[in-house]
Amino acid sequence: MALRRILHYPEPLLKEKSVAVTEFNDELRQLATDMAETMYAAPGVGLAAPQVGELKRMVVIDCSDSEEPNDLIVAVNPEIIASEGDSLEEEGCLSVPGFCANVKRAETVTLRYQDVEGNTHERTANGLLGICMQHELDHLEGILFVDRLSPLKRSLFRKKYMKMLKEREQQNEA
Ligand code: NI
């Protein structure tokens, strides 16, 4: 088991499309274990393989709160096969530290995915879990939640974020 380094915006790899998983082997299972460990350590509620530098269609999600038992979903080759309604909720991302914004999503989604053994599952979710599914699947297409903001909000985000990065660099140099 190992923690993986999480890539941060504006890392170019985060803009790339991930490739379907065809081999359900030990390497895939190891990556899933590492991703779950990295997500819990962050802590976060979801992590997609490209965020740790692997362009594979796999995400890990756990939206249970600390009072509830773990509800880890490891979704390989996930697809949203149905969606309904609208929601507008605040999102953040482990690859965009220190920034949150409201994002438009579907309210309820049904996810079809394979587990690390290749078995197919379906799960319908709304609320935080439904949003998280949509957010993590976007990562597999090279889309970050900030890409879903209006052009004005996106450009404000970029300015603010790049300024923050610069300030951090200067602090590190000092
Ligand atoms: Ni994210």
Side-chain angles (χ1 to χ4, degrees):
M1 298 218 285
L3 291 181
R4 303 279 185 121
R5 190 173 69 89
I6 298 174
L7 303 178
H8 290 171
Y9 178 91
E11 162 67 49
L13 192 131
L14 292 170
K15 302 225 77 161
E16 284 185 42
K17 208 173 156 165
S18 291
V19 176
V21 172
T22 52
E23 288 188 56
F24 296 82
N25 53 19
D26 285 346
E27 196 191 320
L28 184 75
R29 286 184 276 276
Q30 185 62 57
L31 175 61
T33 305
D34 290 351
M35 282 170 58
E37 206 187 331
T38 305
M39 171 183 74
Y40 288 126
V45 294
L47 189 68
Q51 292 181 274
V52 294
E54 303 272 355
L55 289 171
K56 290 184 178 150
R57 299 189 80 83
M58 177 159 73
V59 305
V60 295
I61 295 171
D62 188 343
C63 289
S64 58
D65 65 34
S66 53
E67 311 285 298
E68 296 168 42
N70 286 359
D71 177 25
L72 178 63
I73 301 170
V74 177
V76 181
N77 299 326
E79 307 169 70
I80 288 171
I81 55 167
S83 61
E84 215 184 282
D86 299 299
S87 87
L88 182 67
E89 293 289 340
E90 190 169 75
E91 293 182 27
C93 179
L94 294 175
S95 292
V96 191
F99 188 80
C100 291
N102 285 331
V103 184
K104 275 188 210 164
R105 301 280 186 190
E107 189 184 22
T108 308
V109 293
T110 300
L111 193 72
R112 180 182 288 161
Y113 61 94
Q114 288 170 286
D115 58 31
V116 287
E117 308 299 332
N119 303 308
T120 301
H121 302 265
E122 276 180 25
R123 182 147 170 189
T124 299
N126 58 16
L128 179 62
L129 180 56
I131 289 166
C132 192
M133 286 172 173
Q134 296 170 77
H135 175 116
E136 297 312 325
L137 260 69
D138 268 357
H139 277 296
L140 304 182
E141 302 302 322
I143 298 169
L144 297 175
F145 78 101
V146 291
D147 296 320
R148 295 206 174 271
L149 303 177
S150 68
L152 177 66
K153 282 190 180 154
R154 203 162 56 228
S155 87
L156 285 173
F157 152 73
R158 254 191 231 116
K159 268 185 214 152
K160 216 167 123 184
Y161 189 87
M162 299 320 266
K163 193 176 156 217
M164 186 188 81
L165 283 187
K166 220 177 191 178
E167 282 168 2
R168 269 193 205 163
E169 263 169 42
Q170 283 165 349
Q171 276 171 4
N172 289 345
E173 281 163 16

